[in-house]
Amino acid sequence: GFHQRHGIDAISVTTHGASAVLLDASGGALPMLDYEHPGPDALAAAYDAIRPDFARSGSPRLPAGLNLGAQLHWLLHTQPDLRDRIAHIVTYPQYWGWRLTGELASDVTSLGCHTDLWDPWRGEFSELPARLGLADRIAPARRPAEVLGRLRPSVAARTGLRAGTPVMVGIHDSNASLYPYVLGQAAPFAVVSTGTWVVAMAVGGDPVALDPARDVLVNVNALGQPVPSGRFMGGREFEVIRAGSNAVPGDADRARVLRDGLAILPAIEPESGPFRGRAMRWSTDAHSDGERMVALSWYLALMTETCLGLVGACGPVIVEGPFARNRDFLAMLAARHPQGVRCAASASATGTSAGAAMLALDRAMPVQTRPVAPPADAAALRAYGDAWQAALA
């Protein structure tokens, strides 16, 4: 129906990282593990003995299955016949590309997403696939903007799409948000991709010692280049504290939060982010949902500022995704940013889909952004942020 109304010229796939699909010789898919499944933790010590260190992989050690290598290790050791059944392993966007084209690939952005399987500095697989005995099973790594293949005739016949419709290799979602700026923005700059995860990606930033204990990692962009990144589960944290409330804060709520010093101290989601292992607490009691929402938005902005600092971000900061429409988040981030350095919010409802679409385009207009000026009460917001940092220390 969409093709009849608008016409489909190409297909591009984007989805989350830390995931892969195992295919058997007939092309059947074995069940894909949820990266939050706790199973891999049971074999953590054995996995730690074979995984490459951070200096080689750019991947911090993460719980559950957030390191894709840990998923594969656990599956191989808990399903004894699995190794003989695996013919191919494809990263998640490329599973859908395979379904559409019959062509096998992995992509550098998905392999570079805290998998332990990739060396982001050398642009090649780490030693882990060989240690797992899977070096010949993982599909070849390709760049996202390459054409993976053409639509299978059977799919074209079922959908009415044009035979030979190109399907791009595909891309990890946070890197899809970054891609338009990699093409059109002069370094240095940073992009904050917001969704379930908030990922702060520094392009051309200051050299800093990256601390994997703070959930800092090295992503790989669509051009195959390493990108220091800090992250936390901001979208999940937003939903936990919001608890279904649709309260719209007013100026009175903001004034009371500043007056009372109402703040959330990390971490709402203690398994990830720069303050892993800490227990969340409120500095004092909130008196309304409006106050709670203000404190939540400021907490998320201060967590984002922390991540930007950990990866050496400098230059303009561009916010993508749902938080680009959060007034209080943007106000705090702009107030806390160094004077004279621009903050901007993407005008796109979702930079992820825009970036994925650009994989299939020879030319594209730059993504539209709107500047975010420091608010009139910037000094008060800076003082609030200073107090938040002091409470952490």
Side-chain angles (χ1 to χ4, degrees):
F2 188 93
H3 179 58
Q4 289 177 345
R5 290 192 300 274
H6 304 287
I8 293 174
D9 298 310
I11 298 173
S12 182
V13 177
T14 181
T15 188
H16 60 77
S19 301
V21 178
L22 314 181
L23 303 173
D24 62 22
S26 67
L30 306 177
M32 187 183 83
L33 195 68
D34 180 344
Y35 63 56
E36 292 187 274
H37 191 288
D41 287 336
L43 298 177
Y47 179 65
D48 288 344
I50 66 167
R51 70 182 291 267
D53 62 24
F54 182 78
R56 176 81 162 118
S57 70
S59 297
R61 184 65 171 101
L62 301 171
L66 282 166
N67 294 118
L68 179 54
Q71 292 185 34
L72 298 174
H73 175 263
W74 181 76
L75 287 167
L76 290 170
H77 282 78
T78 55
Q79 301 189 45
D81 66 333
L82 181 61
R83 187 184 303 276
D84 293 335
R85 295 165 58 200
I86 299 172
H88 306 287
I89 299 173
V90 291
T91 38
Y92 195 28
Q94 290 69 51
Y95 167 68
W96 299 102
W98 171 79
R99 290 286 300 269
L100 293 168
T101 68
E103 300 293 334
L104 292 162
S106 296
D107 90 276
V108 295
T109 67
S110 295
L111 288 169
C113 178
H114 49 79
T115 65
D116 287 334
L117 300 168
W118 191 251
D119 182 329
W121 293 280
R122 296 183 181 180
E124 62 187 25
F125 285 100
S126 72
E127 59 268 33
L128 183 59
R131 290 176 181 173
L132 292 170
L134 298 174
D136 60 343
R137 316 286 177 91
I138 300 178
R142 297 182 62 182
R143 300 276 181 88
E146 296 175 15
V147 175
L148 174 64
R150 305 286 169 173
L151 203 62
R152 294 178 192 250
S154 59
V155 177
R158 288 177 62 186
T159 60
L161 270 65
R162 177 171 49 86
T165 297
V167 179
M168 315 313 291
V169 166
I171 191 169
H172 164 234
D173 53 8
S174 296
N175 269 290
S177 296
L178 178 64
Y179 185 53
Y181 305 99
V182 170
L183 295 181
Q185 176 83 31
F189 65 91
V191 171
V192 177
S193 172
T194 67
T196 301
W197 293 92
V198 173
V199 185
M201 297 169 279
V203 177
D206 293 331
V208 293
L210 301 177
D211 182 357
R214 306 291 301 274
D215 213 349
V216 169
L217 63 142
V218 180
N219 268 305
V220 176
N221 70 25
L223 304 183
Q225 301 161 337
V227 180
S229 305
R231 56 174 216 153
F232 67 105
M233 230 169 181
R236 172 78 56 81
E237 294 185 325
F238 179 83
E239 293 300 331
V240 167
I241 300 300
R242 184 173 77 95
S245 171
N246 291 314
V248 178
D251 289 340
D253 294 309
R254 298 179 183 95
R256 283 193 295 269
V257 171
L258 285 172
R259 182 196 67 201
D260 298 342
L262 175 67
I264 302 172
L265 297 173
I268 299 168
E269 178 59 52
E271 295 298 317
S272 61
F275 301 103
R276 278 191 291 175
R278 293 201 188 203
M280 175 212 130
R281 64 182 176 88
W282 288 90
S283 62
T284 186
D285 293 332
H287 296 102
S288 70
D289 282 353
E291 291 180 32
R292 191 174 294 108
M293 292 299 289
V294 172
L296 173 59
S297 296
W298 289 351
Y299 160 87
L300 295 167
L302 291 167
M303 289 284 284
T304 300
E305 180 196 18
T306 299
C307 290
L308 289 166
L310 288 171
V311 297
C314 56
V317 173
I318 302 148
V319 179
E320 285 275 357
F323 290 3
R325 301 185 293 279
N326 183 319
R327 167 185 167 179
D328 291 304
F329 174 89
L330 295 173
M332 178 61 78
L333 197 62
R336 297 286 302 175
H337 219 55
Q339 189 172 6
V341 177
R342 182 172 61 89
C343 285
S346 171
S348 170
T350 163
T352 303
S353 54
M358 287 180 69
L359 297 176
L361 302 176
D362 293 329
R363 293 180 296 109
M365 295 292 289
V367 176
Q368 297 298 306
T369 62
R370 57 181 178 83
V372 179
D377 58 350
L381 294 182
R382 285 194 292 272
Y384 178 98
D386 290 342
W388 186 83
Q389 291 178 335
L392 288 177

